Amino acid sequence: MSALAAAPTNLAEARALIAQLQAALQGQGLAHRAAPPEPTTCCGRGCNGCVWEGYYAALAFWCDDAQALLQASPSAGKG
C-alpha cells in the first residue's frame, strides 16, 4: 500500500481506509469495484490462515488498485 495510508491492522482502520478511498474516488468521478466483504465465518480461535488474513490481503489489493486509479486520473495533480 502506498500514498494515502498504511495497511490497516484492525477492522476500524480498514473501514476508515475504505471510506477514505471511496470518497476520493467518488470525488473524482471514478468507478471502482466494491471493497472486499468483511468475513462472517471467523471462529475466533486464531487459526493459521484465518479468514481475516485473507480479508486484509484482498483489501490491500483493492486499496492498491484504488490508489492507482486515483493517481492515473487526469485530476490527480490538481487541488
Side-chain angles (χ1 to χ4, degrees), residues 42-58:
C42 180
C43 66
R45 292 183 285 179
C47 301
N48 185 24
C50 177
V51 295
W52 285 102
E53 293 173 13
Y55 170 74
Y56 288 120

Side-chain angles (χ1 to χ4, degrees), residues 9-36:
T9 59
N10 61 53
L11 187 54
E13 290 177 3
R15 288 176 176 165
L17 180 57
I18 290 167
Q20 177 186 13
L21 286 169
Q22 287 175 329
L25 289 162
Q26 185 177 29
Q28 292 189 24
L30 299 171
H32 187 40
R33 69 184 183 279

Side-chain angles (χ1 to χ4, degrees), residues 1 5 12 19 23-24 26 36 38 41 45 48 60 62 64 66 70 79:
M1 237 174 276
Q26 185 177 29
E38 295 173 11
T41 58
R45 292 183 285 179
N48 185 24
W62 183 88
D64 287 345
L70 289 166

Side-chain angles (χ1 to χ4, degrees), residues 28-30 68-79:
Q28 292 189 24
L30 299 171
L69 279 172
L70 289 166
Q71 292 171 356
S73 172
S75 60
K78 298 177 185 174

